[in-house]
Coordinates of all heavy atoms in Angstrom, one line a residue:
Q104 N -1.0 0.8 9.3 CA -2.4 0.5 9.8 C -2.5 0.9 11.3 O -3.6 0.9 11.8 CB -2.5 -1.0 9.8 CG -2.8 -1.6 8.5 CD -3.1 -3.1 8.6 OE1 -2.4 -3.8 9.3 NE2 -4.1 -3.6 8.0
S105 N -1.4 1.3 11.9 CA -1.5 1.5 13.4 C -2.2 2.8 13.8 O -2.0 3.8 13.1 CB 0.0 1.5 13.9 OG -0.1 1.3 15.3
R106 N -3.0 2.7 14.8 CA -3.8 3.8 15.3 C -3.1 4.5 16.6 O -3.8 5.2 17.3 CB -5.2 3.3 15.7 CG -5.9 2.6 14.6 CD -6.5 3.4 13.6 NE -5.6 3.5 12.4 CZ -5.8 4.3 11.4 NH1 -6.8 5.2 11.4 NH2 -5.0 4.3 10.4
Q107 N -1.8 4.2 16.8 CA -1.3 4.7 18.1 C -1.1 6.2 18.2 O -0.8 6.7 19.2 CB 0.0 3.9 18.5 CG 1.2 4.1 17.6 CD 2.0 2.9 17.5 OE1 1.6 1.9 17.0 NE2 3.2 2.8 18.1
T108 N -1.3 6.8 17.0 CA -1.1 8.3 17.1 C -2.5 9.0 17.0 O -2.5 10.2 16.6 CB -0.2 8.7 15.9 OG1 -0.9 8.4 14.7 CG2 1.1 8.0 16.0
A109 N -3.6 8.3 17.3 CA -4.9 8.9 17.2 C -5.0 10.2 18.0 O -5.6 11.2 17.6 CB -6.0 7.9 17.6
D110 N -4.4 10.2 19.2 CA -4.5 11.4 20.1 C -3.7 12.6 19.5 O -4.2 13.7 19.6 CB -3.8 11.1 21.5 CG -4.6 10.1 22.3 OD1 -5.7 9.8 21.9 OD2 -4.1 9.6 23.3
I111 N -2.6 12.3 18.9 CA -1.9 13.4 18.2 C -2.7 14.0 17.1 O -2.8 15.2 16.9 CB -0.5 12.9 17.7 CG1 0.3 12.2 18.8 CG2 0.3 14.0 17.0 CD1 1.6 11.6 18.3
C112 N -3.4 13.1 16.4 CA -4.3 13.5 15.3 C -5.4 14.4 15.8 O -5.8 15.4 15.2 CB -4.8 12.3 14.5 SG -3.5 11.5 13.5
D113 N -6.0 13.9 16.9 CA -7.2 14.6 17.5 C -6.7 16.0 17.9 O -7.5 17.0 17.6 CB -7.7 13.9 18.7 CG -8.4 12.6 18.3 OD1 -8.7 12.4 17.1 OD2 -8.6 11.8 19.2
K114 N -5.5 16.1 18.4 CA -5.1 17.4 18.9 C -4.9 18.4 17.6 O -5.3 19.5 17.7 CB -3.7 17.2 19.6 CG -3.2 18.5 20.2 CD -2.1 18.2 21.3 CE -1.4 19.4 21.8 NZ -0.3 19.8 20.9
L115 N -4.3 17.8 16.6 CA -4.0 18.6 15.4 C -5.4 19.1 14.8 O -5.5 20.2 14.4 CB -3.3 17.8 14.3 CG -1.8 17.6 14.6 CD1 -1.2 16.5 13.6 CD2 -1.0 18.9 14.5
K116 N -6.4 18.2 14.9 CA -7.7 18.6 14.3 C -8.3 19.7 15.2 O -8.9 20.7 14.7 CB -8.6 17.4 14.3 CG -8.4 16.5 13.2 CD -9.4 15.3 13.1 CE -8.9 14.2 12.3 NZ -9.6 12.9 12.6
L117 N -8.2 19.5 16.5 CA -8.8 20.4 17.5 C -8.2 21.8 17.3 O -8.9 22.9 17.4 CB -8.6 20.0 18.9 CG -9.7 19.2 19.6 CD1 -9.3 18.7 20.9 CD2 -10.9 20.1 19.7
E118 N -6.9 21.8 17.0 CA -6.2 23.1 16.8 C -6.5 23.7 15.5 O -6.0 24.8 15.1 CB -4.7 22.9 17.0 CG -4.3 22.6 18.4 CD -2.8 22.2 18.6 OE1 -2.2 21.9 17.5 OE2 -2.4 22.0 19.7
G119 N -7.3 23.0 14.6 CA -7.7 23.6 13.4 C -6.8 23.5 12.2 O -6.7 24.4 11.4
H120 N -5.9 22.5 12.2 CA -4.9 22.4 11.1 C -5.3 21.6 9.9 O -4.5 21.4 9.0 CB -3.6 21.8 11.7 CG -3.0 22.6 12.8 ND1 -2.8 24.0 12.7 CD2 -2.7 22.3 14.1 CE1 -2.4 24.4 13.9 NE2 -2.3 23.4 14.8
E121 N -6.5 21.1 9.9 CA -7.0 20.2 8.8 C -6.8 20.8 7.4 O -6.2 20.2 6.6 CB -8.4 19.8 9.1 CG -9.0 18.7 8.1 CD -9.1 17.4 8.8 OE1 -9.8 17.2 9.8 OE2 -8.4 16.5 8.3
D122 N -7.2 22.0 7.3 CA -7.2 22.7 6.0 C -5.8 22.9 5.5 O -5.4 22.5 4.3 CB -7.9 24.0 6.0 CG -9.4 23.8 6.1 OD1 -9.8 22.6 5.9 OD2 -10.1 24.8 6.3
V123 N -4.9 23.4 6.3 CA -3.5 23.7 5.9 C -2.8 22.3 5.5 O -2.1 22.3 4.5 CB -2.7 24.5 6.9 CG1 -2.3 23.7 8.1 CG2 -1.5 25.1 6.3
I124 N -3.1 21.3 6.2 CA -2.5 20.0 5.9 C -3.0 19.5 4.6 O -2.3 19.0 3.7 CB -2.6 19.0 7.1 CG1 -1.8 19.5 8.2 CG2 -2.3 17.6 6.7 CD1 -1.8 18.7 9.5
R125 N -4.3 19.6 4.4 CA -4.9 19.0 3.2 C -4.4 19.9 2.0 O -4.1 19.3 0.9 CB -6.4 19.0 3.2 CG -7.0 18.3 2.1 CD -8.5 18.1 2.1 NE -9.0 17.7 3.5 CZ -10.1 18.1 4.0 NH1 -10.9 19.0 3.3 NH2 -10.5 17.7 5.2
E126 N -4.4 21.2 2.1 CA -4.0 22.0 1.0 C -2.6 21.8 0.5 O -2.3 21.9 -0.6 CB -4.1 23.5 1.4 CG -5.5 24.1 1.2 CD -5.8 25.3 2.1 OE1 -4.8 25.9 2.5 OE2 -6.9 25.5 2.3
R127 N -1.7 21.4 1.5 CA -0.3 21.2 1.1 C 0.1 19.8 0.8 O 1.0 19.6 0.0 CB 0.6 21.7 2.2 CG 0.5 23.2 2.4 CD 1.2 23.7 3.7 NE 0.8 25.1 3.9 CZ 1.7 26.0 4.2 NH1 3.0 25.7 4.4 NH2 1.3 27.2 4.5
T128 N -0.6 18.8 1.4 CA -0.2 17.4 1.2 C -1.1 16.6 0.4 O -0.8 15.5 -0.1 CB 0.0 16.7 2.6 OG1 -1.3 16.6 3.2 CG2 0.9 17.5 3.5
G129 N -2.4 17.1 0.2 CA -3.4 16.3 -0.5 C -3.9 15.2 0.4 O -4.7 14.3 0.0

Side-chain angles (χ1 to χ4, degrees):
Q104 284 185 314
S105 197
R106 306 282 98 188
Q107 69 213 67
T108 65
D110 289 351
I111 305 176
C112 290
D113 288 346
K114 186 163 171 277
L115 286 169
K116 281 186 201 161
L117 264 175
E118 289 169 354
H120 302 305
E121 188 102 60
D122 287 348
V123 73
I124 289 181
R125 191 174 315 141
E126 273 157 24
R127 293 171 190 225
T128 66

